[in-house]
Amino acid sequence: MSGNVQLLSDTLAAAKSEGRAALIAYLPAGFPTVTGGIEAVKAALDGGADVVEVGLPHSDPVLDGPVIQTADDIALRGGVRIADVMRTVREAHEATGKPILVMTYWNPIDRYGVERFTAELAEAGGAGCILPDLPVQESALWREHAAKHGLATVFVVAPSSKDARLAEITAAGSGFVYAASLMGVTGTRESVGAQAEDLVRRTRTTTDTPVCVGLGVSNASQAAEVARFADGVIVGSAFVKRMLDAPDDAAGLEGIRALAADLAKGVRGQA
């Protein structure tokens, strides 16, 4: 069975044809429970997200700030497994028809087996993978199997990336380019800043692949700011925080749905 890389491309193209950026939400699998995590992903999509990244919880998430680390810890203590990540992708995609990616560090895939992981992700209806710590020069095996199974390979670029490095990364990736808006870990911030706009501009000189910006966006006005210059706006910690801060799961899901609706207005310039 082939994965849904084409659905991802079509979704991003449809947003562009509407004169707006796509809204991409991030939520970890298994948080607050496996079933609760699936409902959270569906709530984000129902609220207005175009795409969701499902996080594969990791014991040492070096690029993630305290909010996502807390959620990962809850998921891991709950016993989440890669099979639960695949279930999350499958059920969320089946319920909504929207593209679902997995965001993961490389070590769990390496241990699980690249062929097995890509085959299962494609079978679950996944659109691809975001691999923040896999060096492009070591990615040939992954990219071979991802392409075979119809999965996008999304690499991360940062403000520190030199132009030659940007060209190398964008040539190897597919689906979209994840532009980290600043140096540091995930989390909400007061400003997403000019660094992000400059990074998008430099990245676009190397590729026609959509460039989506993440790290720091937490509200509609920030989403509107980033949507002026990016093809997609990625929001993670703000969604996770809605669930963490809620008095119960039902309130958390409502909070996620409401935030997605607010951010959806932002990417449409209606904030």
Short mmCIF file of all heavy atoms in Angstrom, two decimals, residues 45-111:
data_model
loop_
_atom_site.label_atom_id
_atom_site.label_comp_id
_atom_site.label_asym_id
_atom_site.label_seq_id
_atom_site.Cartn_x
_atom_site.Cartn_y
_atom_site.Cartn_z
N LEU A 45 -7.86 18.73 13.76
CA LEU A 45 -8.29 18.72 12.35
C LEU A 45 -9.71 19.24 12.21
O LEU A 45 -10.02 20.02 11.30
CB LEU A 45 -8.15 17.31 11.78
CG LEU A 45 -6.70 16.82 11.61
CD1 LEU A 45 -6.66 15.32 11.40
CD2 LEU A 45 -6.01 17.54 10.45
N ASP A 46 -10.58 18.84 13.11
CA ASP A 46 -11.96 19.31 13.07
C ASP A 46 -12.03 20.83 13.28
O ASP A 46 -12.88 21.52 12.71
CB ASP A 46 -12.81 18.62 14.15
CG ASP A 46 -13.05 17.14 13.86
OD1 ASP A 46 -12.84 16.74 12.69
OD2 ASP A 46 -13.44 16.41 14.77
N GLY A 47 -11.11 21.35 14.11
CA GLY A 47 -11.10 22.78 14.41
C GLY A 47 -10.59 23.64 13.27
O GLY A 47 -10.87 24.84 13.24
N GLY A 48 -9.83 23.05 12.35
CA GLY A 48 -9.35 23.84 11.22
C GLY A 48 -7.94 23.56 10.76
O GLY A 48 -7.47 24.17 9.80
N ALA A 49 -7.22 22.65 11.43
CA ALA A 49 -5.88 22.29 10.95
C ALA A 49 -5.99 21.55 9.62
O ALA A 49 -6.93 20.77 9.41
CB ALA A 49 -5.15 21.43 11.98
N ASP A 50 -5.05 21.82 8.72
CA ASP A 50 -5.03 21.15 7.42
C ASP A 50 -4.25 19.84 7.47
O ASP A 50 -4.53 18.91 6.73
CB ASP A 50 -4.36 22.06 6.38
CG ASP A 50 -5.11 23.36 6.19
OD1 ASP A 50 -6.22 23.32 5.63
OD2 ASP A 50 -4.59 24.41 6.61
N VAL A 51 -3.24 19.80 8.33
CA VAL A 51 -2.30 18.69 8.43
C VAL A 51 -1.97 18.51 9.91
O VAL A 51 -1.96 19.50 10.66
CB VAL A 51 -0.99 19.00 7.66
CG1 VAL A 51 0.00 17.84 7.76
CG2 VAL A 51 -1.27 19.36 6.20
N VAL A 52 -1.69 17.28 10.33
CA VAL A 52 -1.20 17.07 11.70
C VAL A 52 0.09 16.26 11.66
O VAL A 52 0.22 15.30 10.90
CB VAL A 52 -2.25 16.35 12.59
CG1 VAL A 52 -1.61 15.86 13.88
CG2 VAL A 52 -3.39 17.30 12.93
N GLU A 53 1.03 16.69 12.49
CA GLU A 53 2.23 15.90 12.78
C GLU A 53 1.97 15.16 14.08
O GLU A 53 1.69 15.79 15.11
CB GLU A 53 3.44 16.81 12.99
CG GLU A 53 3.75 17.77 11.87
CD GLU A 53 4.81 18.78 12.29
OE1 GLU A 53 5.39 18.62 13.39
OE2 GLU A 53 5.05 19.72 11.52
N VAL A 54 2.06 13.85 14.05
CA VAL A 54 1.93 13.03 15.26
C VAL A 54 3.33 12.75 15.79
O VAL A 54 4.16 12.14 15.11
CB VAL A 54 1.20 11.71 14.95
CG1 VAL A 54 1.25 10.77 16.16
CG2 VAL A 54 -0.25 11.99 14.55
N GLY A 55 3.60 13.20 17.00
CA GLY A 55 4.91 12.99 17.59
C GLY A 55 5.07 11.57 18.11
O GLY A 55 4.16 11.02 18.73
N LEU A 56 6.23 10.98 17.86
CA LEU A 56 6.58 9.69 18.44
C LEU A 56 7.36 10.00 19.72
O LEU A 56 8.49 10.47 19.66
CB LEU A 56 7.42 8.88 17.45
CG LEU A 56 7.60 7.39 17.73
CD1 LEU A 56 8.05 6.66 16.46
CD2 LEU A 56 8.59 7.12 18.85
N PRO A 57 6.74 9.78 20.89
CA PRO A 57 7.39 10.18 22.15
C PRO A 57 8.76 9.55 22.33
O PRO A 57 8.99 8.38 22.01
CB PRO A 57 6.40 9.69 23.21
CG PRO A 57 5.08 9.72 22.51
CD PRO A 57 5.39 9.26 21.10
N HIS A 58 9.68 10.37 22.84
CA HIS A 58 11.07 9.95 22.98
C HIS A 58 11.56 10.35 24.36
O HIS A 58 11.19 11.40 24.89
CB HIS A 58 11.91 10.63 21.89
CG HIS A 58 13.27 10.05 21.70
ND1 HIS A 58 14.37 10.48 22.43
CD2 HIS A 58 13.73 9.08 20.88
CE1 HIS A 58 15.44 9.79 22.05
NE2 HIS A 58 15.07 8.94 21.11
N SER A 59 12.43 9.51 24.93
CA SER A 59 12.92 9.76 26.29
C SER A 59 13.91 10.92 26.36
O SER A 59 14.15 11.48 27.43
CB SER A 59 13.57 8.50 26.85
OG SER A 59 14.61 8.06 25.99
N ASP A 60 14.49 11.28 25.21
CA ASP A 60 15.46 12.38 25.20
C ASP A 60 15.20 13.30 24.01
O ASP A 60 15.98 13.37 23.06
CB ASP A 60 16.89 11.81 25.12
CG ASP A 60 17.95 12.89 25.22
OD1 ASP A 60 17.67 13.95 25.82
OD2 ASP A 60 19.06 12.69 24.69
N PRO A 61 14.07 14.03 24.06
CA PRO A 61 13.68 14.87 22.91
C PRO A 61 14.47 16.18 22.89
O PRO A 61 14.02 17.22 23.37
CB PRO A 61 12.18 15.11 23.16
CG PRO A 61 12.05 15.06 24.65
CD PRO A 61 13.10 14.11 25.15
N VAL A 62 15.67 16.13 22.32
CA VAL A 62 16.62 17.23 22.47
C VAL A 62 16.15 18.54 21.85
O VAL A 62 16.60 19.62 22.25
CB VAL A 62 17.99 16.85 21.86
CG1 VAL A 62 18.65 15.76 22.69
CG2 VAL A 62 17.85 16.40 20.40
N LEU A 63 15.24 18.47 20.86
CA LEU A 63 14.78 19.71 20.22
C LEU A 63 13.48 20.23 20.80
O LEU A 63 12.97 21.25 20.36
CB LEU A 63 14.61 19.47 18.71
CG LEU A 63 15.89 19.17 17.93
CD1 LEU A 63 15.56 18.89 16.47
CD2 LEU A 63 16.87 20.31 18.03
N ASP A 64 12.94 19.52 21.78
CA ASP A 64 11.64 19.89 22.33
C ASP A 64 11.78 20.57 23.69
O ASP A 64 12.60 20.18 24.52
CB ASP A 64 10.73 18.67 22.46
CG ASP A 64 10.32 18.13 21.11
OD1 ASP A 64 9.85 18.94 20.29
OD2 ASP A 64 10.47 16.92 20.86
N GLY A 65 10.95 21.58 23.89
CA GLY A 65 10.94 22.32 25.14
C GLY A 65 10.15 21.60 26.23
O GLY A 65 9.67 20.48 26.04
N PRO A 66 9.97 22.24 27.39
CA PRO A 66 9.39 21.59 28.56
C PRO A 66 7.94 21.13 28.37
O PRO A 66 7.54 20.12 28.95
CB PRO A 66 9.49 22.65 29.67
CG PRO A 66 9.75 23.94 28.97
CD PRO A 66 10.46 23.60 27.71
N VAL A 67 7.16 21.84 27.58
CA VAL A 67 5.74 21.44 27.40
C VAL A 67 5.65 20.09 26.70
O VAL A 67 4.98 19.17 27.17
CB VAL A 67 4.98 22.53 26.60
CG1 VAL A 67 3.59 22.02 26.20
CG2 VAL A 67 4.85 23.80 27.43
N ILE A 68 6.34 19.95 25.56
CA ILE A 68 6.29 18.69 24.83
C ILE A 68 7.03 17.59 25.58
O ILE A 68 6.60 16.42 25.58
CB ILE A 68 6.82 18.88 23.39
CG1 ILE A 68 5.82 19.74 22.60
CG2 ILE A 68 7.04 17.54 22.69
CD1 ILE A 68 6.27 20.15 21.22
N GLN A 69 8.11 17.94 26.28
CA GLN A 69 8.80 16.94 27.10
C GLN A 69 7.86 16.36 28.16
O GLN A 69 7.87 15.15 28.41
CB GLN A 69 10.02 17.57 27.79
CG GLN A 69 11.21 17.79 26.87
CD GLN A 69 12.42 18.30 27.62
OE1 GLN A 69 12.56 18.11 28.81
NE2 GLN A 69 13.32 18.95 26.90
N THR A 70 7.05 17.21 28.77
CA THR A 70 6.10 16.75 29.78
C THR A 70 5.09 15.78 29.17
O THR A 70 4.78 14.73 29.74
CB THR A 70 5.37 17.95 30.42
OG1 THR A 70 6.33 18.79 31.05
CG2 THR A 70 4.34 17.49 31.44
N ALA A 71 4.56 16.14 28.01
CA ALA A 71 3.59 15.28 27.34
C ALA A 71 4.22 13.95 26.93
O ALA A 71 3.61 12.88 27.09
CB ALA A 71 3.01 15.99 26.12
N ASP A 72 5.46 14.01 26.41
CA ASP A 72 6.16 12.79 26.04
C ASP A 72 6.35 11.88 27.25
O ASP A 72 6.19 10.65 27.16
CB ASP A 72 7.54 13.12 25.45
CG ASP A 72 7.50 13.45 23.97
OD1 ASP A 72 6.38 13.56 23.41
OD2 ASP A 72 8.57 13.61 23.36
N ASP A 73 6.68 12.48 28.38
CA ASP A 73 6.90 11.70 29.60
C ASP A 73 5.61 11.00 30.03
O ASP A 73 5.62 9.82 30.41
CB ASP A 73 7.41 12.61 30.70
CG ASP A 73 7.81 11.83 31.95
OD1 ASP A 73 8.61 10.89 31.83
OD2 ASP A 73 7.30 12.16 33.04
N ILE A 74 4.50 11.71 29.94
CA ILE A 74 3.20 11.11 30.27
C ILE A 74 2.90 9.94 29.34
O ILE A 74 2.46 8.86 29.78
CB ILE A 74 2.09 12.18 30.21
CG1 ILE A 74 2.25 13.18 31.36
CG2 ILE A 74 0.69 11.53 30.24
CD1 ILE A 74 1.40 14.43 31.21
N ALA A 75 3.15 10.14 28.05
CA ALA A 75 2.89 9.08 27.07
C ALA A 75 3.78 7.86 27.31
O ALA A 75 3.32 6.72 27.26
CB ALA A 75 3.10 9.62 25.66
N LEU A 76 5.05 8.11 27.58
CA LEU A 76 5.98 6.99 27.79
C LEU A 76 5.65 6.24 29.07
O LEU A 76 5.71 4.99 29.10
CB LEU A 76 7.43 7.52 27.83
CG LEU A 76 7.97 8.01 26.48
CD1 LEU A 76 9.25 8.80 26.68
CD2 LEU A 76 8.19 6.84 25.52
N ARG A 77 5.29 6.97 30.12
CA ARG A 77 4.89 6.29 31.36
C ARG A 77 3.60 5.52 31.18
O ARG A 77 3.34 4.54 31.88
CB ARG A 77 4.77 7.31 32.50
CG ARG A 77 6.14 7.72 33.05
CD ARG A 77 6.07 8.50 34.35
NE ARG A 77 5.73 9.90 34.13
CZ ARG A 77 4.60 10.47 34.54
NH1 ARG A 77 3.68 9.76 35.17
NH2 ARG A 77 4.39 11.75 34.31
N GLY A 78 2.80 5.93 30.21
CA GLY A 78 1.57 5.20 29.88
C GLY A 78 1.82 3.99 29.01
O GLY A 78 0.89 3.25 28.69
N GLY A 79 3.08 3.79 28.60
CA GLY A 79 3.45 2.60 27.83
C GLY A 79 3.28 2.71 26.33
O GLY A 79 3.17 1.69 25.64
N VAL A 80 3.27 3.92 25.79
CA VAL A 80 3.06 4.09 24.35
C VAL A 80 4.15 3.36 23.56
O VAL A 80 5.31 3.32 23.96
CB VAL A 80 3.00 5.58 23.97
CG1 VAL A 80 4.38 6.25 24.09
CG2 VAL A 80 2.44 5.78 22.58
N ARG A 81 3.74 2.78 22.44
CA ARG A 81 4.65 2.03 21.56
C ARG A 81 4.48 2.53 20.13
O ARG A 81 3.52 3.23 19.81
CB ARG A 81 4.34 0.53 21.63
CG ARG A 81 4.57 -0.11 22.99
CD ARG A 81 6.06 -0.26 23.27
NE ARG A 81 6.34 -0.89 24.57
CZ ARG A 81 6.55 -0.25 25.69
NH1 ARG A 81 6.50 1.08 25.71
NH2 ARG A 81 6.81 -0.89 26.81
N ILE A 82 5.41 2.12 19.26
CA ILE A 82 5.30 2.53 17.85
C ILE A 82 3.98 2.05 17.25
O ILE A 82 3.37 2.75 16.44
CB ILE A 82 6.52 2.03 17.05
CG1 ILE A 82 7.74 2.87 17.42
CG2 ILE A 82 6.26 2.09 15.54
CD1 ILE A 82 9.04 2.48 16.75
N ALA A 83 3.50 0.90 17.66
CA ALA A 83 2.20 0.41 17.18
C ALA A 83 1.09 1.40 17.51
O ALA A 83 0.14 1.58 16.73
CB ALA A 83 1.88 -0.95 17.78
N ASP A 84 1.19 2.07 18.65
CA ASP A 84 0.19 3.06 19.04
C ASP A 84 0.30 4.32 18.18
O ASP A 84 -0.71 4.99 17.90
CB ASP A 84 0.36 3.44 20.51
CG ASP A 84 0.21 2.24 21.44
OD1 ASP A 84 -0.75 1.48 21.26
OD2 ASP A 84 1.09 2.07 22.32
N VAL A 85 1.52 4.66 17.78
CA VAL A 85 1.71 5.79 16.87
C VAL A 85 1.04 5.49 15.53
O VAL A 85 0.32 6.33 14.96
CB VAL A 85 3.22 6.09 16.68
CG1 VAL A 85 3.43 7.22 15.67
CG2 VAL A 85 3.87 6.42 18.01
N MET A 86 1.26 4.27 15.03
CA MET A 86 0.64 3.87 13.75
C MET A 86 -0.89 3.85 13.88
O MET A 86 -1.60 4.29 12.96
CB MET A 86 1.13 2.48 13.33
CG MET A 86 2.62 2.40 13.10
SD MET A 86 3.21 3.49 11.78
CE MET A 86 4.98 3.15 11.83
N ARG A 87 -1.39 3.40 15.01
CA ARG A 87 -2.84 3.40 15.24
C ARG A 87 -3.39 4.84 15.23
O ARG A 87 -4.45 5.11 14.67
CB ARG A 87 -3.17 2.72 16.57
CG ARG A 87 -4.65 2.73 16.90
CD ARG A 87 -4.95 2.24 18.31
NE ARG A 87 -6.25 2.75 18.75
CZ ARG A 87 -6.63 2.81 20.01
NH1 ARG A 87 -5.83 2.38 20.98
NH2 ARG A 87 -7.82 3.29 20.33
N THR A 88 -2.63 5.75 15.84
CA THR A 88 -3.04 7.15 15.88
C THR A 88 -3.14 7.72 14.47
O THR A 88 -4.12 8.39 14.11
CB THR A 88 -2.06 7.97 16.73
OG1 THR A 88 -2.01 7.42 18.05
CG2 THR A 88 -2.46 9.43 16.80
N VAL A 89 -2.11 7.46 13.67
CA VAL A 89 -2.11 7.92 12.27
C VAL A 89 -3.31 7.34 11.52
O VAL A 89 -4.06 8.06 10.85
CB VAL A 89 -0.79 7.52 11.57
CG1 VAL A 89 -0.87 7.81 10.07
CG2 VAL A 89 0.39 8.25 12.20
N ARG A 90 -3.49 6.03 11.65
CA ARG A 90 -4.55 5.36 10.90
C ARG A 90 -5.93 5.90 11.26
O ARG A 90 -6.73 6.26 10.38
CB ARG A 90 -4.50 3.85 11.17
CG ARG A 90 -5.66 3.08 10.50
CD ARG A 90 -5.64 1.60 10.81
NE ARG A 90 -4.52 0.94 10.16
CZ ARG A 90 -3.40 0.56 10.76
NH1 ARG A 90 -3.25 0.76 12.07
NH2 ARG A 90 -2.45 -0.02 10.08
N GLU A 91 -6.23 5.96 12.56
CA GLU A 91 -7.58 6.34 12.97
C GLU A 91 -7.86 7.81 12.69
O GLU A 91 -8.98 8.18 12.30
CB GLU A 91 -7.80 5.99 14.44
CG GLU A 91 -7.79 4.48 14.67
CD GLU A 91 -8.27 4.07 16.06
OE1 GLU A 91 -8.90 4.90 16.75
OE2 GLU A 91 -8.00 2.92 16.45
N ALA A 92 -6.86 8.66 12.85
CA ALA A 92 -7.05 10.08 12.57
C ALA A 92 -7.26 10.31 11.08
O ALA A 92 -8.12 11.10 10.66
CB ALA A 92 -5.87 10.89 13.08
N HIS A 93 -6.48 9.62 10.26
CA HIS A 93 -6.62 9.79 8.81
C HIS A 93 -7.96 9.23 8.32
O HIS A 93 -8.66 9.87 7.51
CB HIS A 93 -5.47 9.10 8.08
CG HIS A 93 -5.65 9.10 6.59
ND1 HIS A 93 -5.67 10.26 5.85
CD2 HIS A 93 -5.85 8.08 5.71
CE1 HIS A 93 -5.87 9.95 4.57
NE2 HIS A 93 -5.98 8.65 4.48
N GLU A 94 -8.32 8.06 8.82
CA GLU A 94 -9.59 7.46 8.40
C GLU A 94 -10.78 8.33 8.79
O GLU A 94 -11.76 8.43 8.06
CB GLU A 94 -9.75 6.06 9.01
CG GLU A 94 -8.86 5.01 8.36
CD GLU A 94 -8.98 3.65 9.02
OE1 GLU A 94 -9.62 3.56 10.11
OE2 GLU A 94 -8.43 2.67 8.47
N ALA A 95 -10.69 8.98 9.95
CA ALA A 95 -11.81 9.79 10.44
C ALA A 95 -11.93 11.12 9.71
O ALA A 95 -13.03 11.68 9.61
CB ALA A 95 -11.65 10.05 11.93
N THR A 96 -10.81 11.65 9.20
CA THR A 96 -10.83 13.01 8.66
C THR A 96 -10.46 13.11 7.18
O THR A 96 -10.79 14.10 6.53
CB THR A 96 -9.84 13.91 9.43
OG1 THR A 96 -8.50 13.42 9.21
CG2 THR A 96 -10.15 13.91 10.92
N GLY A 97 -9.75 12.11 6.66
CA GLY A 97 -9.28 12.16 5.28
C GLY A 97 -8.13 13.13 5.07
O GLY A 97 -7.75 13.41 3.93
N LYS A 98 -7.57 13.66 6.15
CA LYS A 98 -6.51 14.66 6.03
C LYS A 98 -5.12 14.03 6.21
O LYS A 98 -4.99 12.95 6.77
CB LYS A 98 -6.73 15.79 7.04
CG LYS A 98 -8.00 16.59 6.74
CD LYS A 98 -8.15 17.80 7.63
CE LYS A 98 -9.40 18.60 7.25
NZ LYS A 98 -9.57 19.81 8.10
N PRO A 99 -4.09 14.72 5.70
CA PRO A 99 -2.75 14.13 5.77
C PRO A 99 -2.16 14.15 7.19
O PRO A 99 -2.21 15.18 7.87
CB PRO A 99 -1.92 15.00 4.82
CG PRO A 99 -2.69 16.27 4.65
CD PRO A 99 -4.12 15.96 4.91
N ILE A 100 -1.61 13.02 7.58
CA ILE A 100 -1.00 12.86 8.90
C ILE A 100 0.45 12.40 8.71
O ILE A 100 0.71 11.40 8.04
CB ILE A 100 -1.74 11.80 9.75
CG1 ILE A 100 -3.26 11.94 9.66
CG2 ILE A 100 -1.24 11.85 11.18
CD1 ILE A 100 -3.85 13.13 10.35
N LEU A 101 1.37 13.14 9.31
CA LEU A 101 2.77 12.76 9.30
C LEU A 101 3.18 12.30 10.69
O LEU A 101 2.49 12.57 11.66
CB LEU A 101 3.66 13.93 8.89
CG LEU A 101 3.43 14.53 7.51
CD1 LEU A 101 2.71 15.86 7.63
CD2 LEU A 101 4.76 14.72 6.78
N VAL A 102 4.32 11.65 10.75
CA VAL A 102 4.94 11.33 12.05
C VAL A 102 6.19 12.18 12.19
O VAL A 102 6.97 12.32 11.24
CB VAL A 102 5.30 9.83 12.14
CG1 VAL A 102 6.17 9.56 13.37
CG2 VAL A 102 4.02 8.99 12.21
N MET A 103 6.34 12.79 13.35
CA MET A 103 7.59 13.50 13.66
C MET A 103 8.34 12.67 14.70
O MET A 103 7.81 12.36 15.75
CB MET A 103 7.32 14.89 14.21
CG MET A 103 8.58 15.71 14.41
SD MET A 103 8.20 17.46 14.63
CE MET A 103 9.86 18.16 14.59
N THR A 104 9.57 12.30 14.35
CA THR A 104 10.31 11.41 15.24
C THR A 104 11.81 11.62 15.14
O THR A 104 12.33 11.99 14.09
CB THR A 104 9.98 9.94 14.93
OG1 THR A 104 10.75 9.08 15.81
CG2 THR A 104 10.32 9.56 13.49
N TYR A 105 12.47 11.37 16.22
CA TYR A 105 13.93 11.28 16.20
C TYR A 105 14.31 9.96 15.52
O TYR A 105 13.49 9.05 15.40
CB TYR A 105 14.48 11.38 17.62
CG TYR A 105 14.18 12.73 18.24
CD1 TYR A 105 13.07 12.92 19.06
CD2 TYR A 105 14.99 13.83 17.96
CE1 TYR A 105 12.78 14.17 19.60
CE2 TYR A 105 14.71 15.08 18.50
CZ TYR A 105 13.60 15.24 19.31
OH TYR A 105 13.31 16.47 19.83
N TRP A 106 15.55 9.90 15.07
CA TRP A 106 15.96 8.79 14.23
C TRP A 106 16.11 7.47 14.99
O TRP A 106 15.79 6.40 14.46
CB TRP A 106 17.28 9.13 13.52
CG TRP A 106 17.76 8.01 12.65
CD1 TRP A 106 18.89 7.28 12.80
CD2 TRP A 106 17.09 7.47 11.51
NE1 TRP A 106 18.98 6.32 11.82
CE2 TRP A 106 17.88 6.41 11.02
CE3 TRP A 106 15.89 7.76 10.86
CZ2 TRP A 106 17.53 5.67 9.89
CZ3 TRP A 106 15.53 7.02 9.74
CH2 TRP A 106 16.34 5.99 9.27
N ASN A 107 16.57 7.54 16.21
CA ASN A 107 16.89 6.32 16.94
C ASN A 107 15.75 5.29 16.99
O ASN A 107 15.98 4.09 16.76
CB ASN A 107 17.39 6.66 18.34
CG ASN A 107 17.79 5.44 19.15
OD1 ASN A 107 17.06 5.01 20.03
ND2 ASN A 107 18.93 4.86 18.83
N PRO A 108 14.50 5.69 17.30
CA PRO A 108 13.43 4.68 17.33
C PRO A 108 13.22 3.98 15.99
O PRO A 108 12.94 2.77 15.95
CB PRO A 108 12.19 5.49 17.73
CG PRO A 108 12.74 6.69 18.45
CD PRO A 108 14.02 7.01 17.75
N ILE A 109 13.34 4.71 14.88
CA ILE A 109 13.19 4.09 13.55
C ILE A 109 14.34 3.14 13.29
O ILE A 109 14.13 2.02 12.78
CB ILE A 109 13.13 5.17 12.44
CG1 ILE A 109 11.88 6.01 12.58
CG2 ILE A 109 13.19 4.52 11.06
CD1 ILE A 109 11.77 7.14 11.55
N ASP A 110 15.53 3.56 13.62
CA ASP A 110 16.72 2.73 13.39
C ASP A 110 16.59 1.41 14.13
O ASP A 110 16.91 0.34 13.59
CB ASP A 110 17.95 3.51 13.86
CG ASP A 110 19.25 2.90 13.37
OD1 ASP A 110 19.26 2.39 12.23
OD2 ASP A 110 20.25 2.96 14.11
N ARG A 111 16.10 1.47 15.35
CA ARG A 111 15.94 0.25 16.15
C ARG A 111 14.78 -0.61 15.63
O ARG A 111 14.85 -1.85 15.68
CB ARG A 111 15.71 0.61 17.62
CG ARG A 111 16.97 1.14 18.29
CD ARG A 111 16.70 1.66 19.68
NE ARG A 111 16.05 0.68 20.55
CZ ARG A 111 15.53 0.96 21.73
NH1 ARG A 111 15.55 2.20 22.18
NH2 ARG A 111 14.98 0.02 22.46
#
